Amino acid sequence: QVQLVESGGGLVQTGGSLRLSCAASGRSFSSYAMGWFRQAPGKEREFVGAVNWSGSVSYYADSVKGRFTVSRDNHKNTLYLQMNSLKPEDTAVYYCAAAIRSGWAPSDFGSWGQGTQVTVSS
């Protein structure tokens, strides 16, 4: 099992950028596809984006496509989420997770981090 710790959240104005990091420890990070999810108050956790084990293939929710980029550095055991052109509706707690089976539902992922808050002011 891999342990995950997110960082990089904060308060940013509309149109700004943030880069989230997810540091992994434990079993081999490079053997997992990895994903980012977010959860706003009163809403269900939703898929944001994911990357395969090597970082060569990535997938995104329509709501963030073209604005967010998921990447990874397997030498540093770290997953990243570059967020550009941020909108107030991007405000949420962002979580990274390791895939345990195919699919983009939260139930397809395990080993969740504790989350990092992103707040976008209008």
Side-chain angles (χ1 to χ4, degrees):
Q1 191 172 0
V2 62
Q3 290 77 45
L4 304 171
V5 178
E6 302 94 338
S7 62
L11 174 64
V12 64
Q13 292 185 333
T14 297
S17 298
L18 279 176
R19 189 195 198 197
L20 306 184
S21 298
C22 172
S25 59
R27 295 186 66 179
S28 180
F29 172 74
S30 62
S31 67
Y32 293 95
M34 296 293 299
W36 286 97
F37 289 77
R38 66 187 182 185
Q39 188 165 18
K43 295 187 177 181
E44 294 185 351
R45 191 167 297 190
E46 65 173 358
F47 172 76
V48 173
V51 65
N52 71 336
W53 68 273
S54 67
S56 61
V57 182
S58 55
Y59 305 89
Y60 299 94
D62 288 342
S63 59
V64 306
K65 202 172 294 183
R67 300 188 297 122
F68 290 11
T69 303
V70 180
S71 62
R72 65 191 299 163
D73 185 335
N74 286 342
H75 296 292
K76 295 182 178 179
N77 284 355
T78 304
L79 177 73
Y80 302 100
L81 179 65
Q82 178 67 45
M83 304 185 294
N84 298 328
S85 302
L86 283 161
K87 305 174 182 180
E89 52 263 45
D90 295 318
T91 294
V93 177
Y94 283 71
Y95 300 88
C96 62
I100 56 176
R101 54 176 172 260
S102 297
W104 310 123
S107 58
D108 297 318
F109 288 76
S111 300
W112 294 86
Q114 85 289 348
T116 186
Q117 176 71 47
V118 172
T119 303
V120 184
S121 63
S122 57

